[in-house]
Amino acid sequence: MAALFAACLSGAQTINEISADPPPAPPLPEVAEHAAKSDISYTDATVLGLVEGFTEYLPVSSTGHLIIANAFLGLDSREPLFGSDGDPVLNGSLEPVTLKDAADAYAVVIQLGAIAAVVFAYWEWLVKMLFGLFGRNPEGLRLFRNIMVAFAPAAAGLLLGELIESALFGIVPVMAALFFGALLMLWIQRRYAATHASPHSPRARLEDMRARSALLIGALQCVAMWPGTSRSMMTIVGGYAVGLGPADSARFSFLLGLVTLSAASAYKIVKDGDALLRAVSSGPLLLGIAVAFAAAALSVRWLVEFLTRRGLAPFAYYRIALALILGALAYFNFI
């Protein structure tokens, strides 16, 4: 009887063990989350250098393309950056620098490569202006005067740079500027074609341009402070408006850009250079400048011939297509 009771007890224990909840499984190892970017990599530098170099002198907006590139590369984070000492990186106003701030400043500084490309391609024009300053080339002196006159409005506009950056550096303002800028390009191209229907129609020469015409081009350049508008587009449109041919409009845009971009880069370096060097490694910074130089040298040589043959319309259609693509991407939350 005792043996039977023991057997029953043992069976009951076995049944209880089977019916009891199984022991909890060991926790799965946690998957580490991808750390947010805290620097601009060599890959980022190559992409941004190509975008800057190829688009800086084309009428498609380098700033707009760089904003788009930053969004796709994940460089638009507003998290503060920290230096190697563990302290937050501060700008000239003692405010924390974010990755987006660093990327925006980086985009301005690598313009040095695009500037060097124009010096390389147009050194003869620069020598002509230098001789003009010493009274040995009247046309060179007139060209130098016109570039300085056209630069004056942009110099005043630099004071509004921070306000414009904070208000308009985004996808939606870029889309609007791309689209409406394209409409302006199509209109000015049609107007120019109607005025110069005959190949023998008179065209103003770059060296003979009046100061008031240069001032108009300079005023139009200020409109390009709206990201996505394109400094090159507005100055080329201005050249068309004052009677310059496509080639001379592009050349004046390049030479004016040499001064305007140099001033913008110098201002950014003086203002935020120390913070930029703490936030961005020197290797990617130098690589971005070098890549921008190579890409800009190619685009500068190509644009003059293309404008002469095809005009502004292809760039306008590209801008419209890009604006529509950005609108679709933004609508579906891809950017």
Side-chain angles (χ1 to χ4, degrees):
M1 188 69 179
L4 179 60
F5 177 75
C8 292
L9 181 60
S10 175
Q13 290 176 341
T14 301
I15 292 172
N16 287 337
E17 290 175 359
I18 294 175
S19 62
D21 293 335
L28 295 175
E30 295 184 1
V31 179
E33 296 182 357
H34 293 288
K37 282 189 175 182
S38 59
D39 198 355
I40 294 175
S41 68
Y42 284 97
T43 300
D44 298 332
T46 302
V47 173
L48 296 176
L50 288 172
V51 172
E52 161 62 25
F54 281 126
T55 62
E56 181 59 58
Y57 297 109
L58 301 184
V60 296
S61 176
S62 61
T63 302
H65 280 73
L66 287 167
I67 290 174
I68 296 166
N70 286 340
F72 278 101
L73 293 172
L75 298 175
D76 54 355
S77 169
R78 297 186 180 274
E79 293 297 319
L81 294 179
F82 295 87
S84 57
D85 54 5
D87 294 332
V89 177
L90 304 178
N91 60 21
S93 303
L94 300 181
E95 298 172 341
V97 174
T98 66
L99 183 60
K100 182 181 184 302
D101 296 332
D104 290 343
Y106 181 89
V108 175
V109 173
I110 63 173
Q111 289 176 345
L112 292 172
I115 293 166
V118 170
V119 174
F120 176 76
Y122 282 84
W123 65 269
E124 292 180 351
W125 291 76
L126 299 178
V127 170
K128 182 187 292 188
M129 288 188 285
L130 181 62
F131 282 1
L133 289 175
F134 288 97
R136 299 178 58 186
N137 191 314
E139 290 185 347
L141 179 61
R142 192 178 302 114
L143 178 59
F144 177 81
R145 178 206 65 190
N146 287 338
I147 289 173
M148 291 299 103
V149 168
F151 171 67
L158 286 176
L159 302 176
L160 301 176
E162 290 186 6
L163 177 62
I164 293 173
E165 285 184 15
S166 62
L168 298 176
F169 267 56
I171 295 295
V172 174
V174 167
M175 286 190 300
L178 286 170
F179 183 80
F180 290 107
L183 299 183
L184 174 61
M185 292 166 71
L186 291 173
W187 176 79
I188 197 70
Q189 180 65 52
R190 187 174 302 169
R191 176 179 177 271
Y192 179 84
T195 306
H196 300 87
S198 169
H200 303 292
S201 299
R203 291 176 175 82
R205 286 200 326 143
L206 178 58
E207 296 89 339
D208 299 330
M209 187 169 62
R210 297 181 178 181
R212 65 183 182 185
S213 297
L215 184 61
L216 173 62
I217 295 174
L220 289 174
Q221 182 179 231
C222 291
V223 178
M225 296 186 74
W226 183 303
T229 302
S230 172
R231 185 204 62 80
S232 179
M233 184 269 282
M234 293 305 300
T235 51
I236 292 174
V237 164
Y240 274 55
V242 300
L244 294 178
D248 277 345
S249 294
R251 292 188 185 106
F252 190 76
S253 175
F254 298 154
L255 294 171
L256 177 57
L258 178 63
V259 178
T260 304
L261 298 179
S262 296
S265 295
Y267 175 78
K268 204 70 174 179
I269 290 172
V270 170
K271 181 176 177 295
D272 296 323
D274 181 63
L276 180 65
L277 289 176
R278 291 184 61 200
V280 180
S281 302
S282 58
L285 185 60
L286 295 175
L287 177 62
I289 293 173
V291 172
F293 168 79
L298 292 174
S299 68
V300 162
R301 292 185 178 276
W302 172 82
L303 179 61
V304 172
E305 181 182 354
F306 185 87
L307 273 181
T308 302
R309 291 187 294 109
R310 304 290 300 277
L312 288 168
F315 297 108
Y317 296 136
Y318 168 79
R319 290 170 66 108
I320 291 173
L322 182 59
L324 293 175
I325 291 171
L326 288 176
L329 292 175
Y331 180 80
F332 291 106
N333 294 321
F334 285 110
I335 55 174

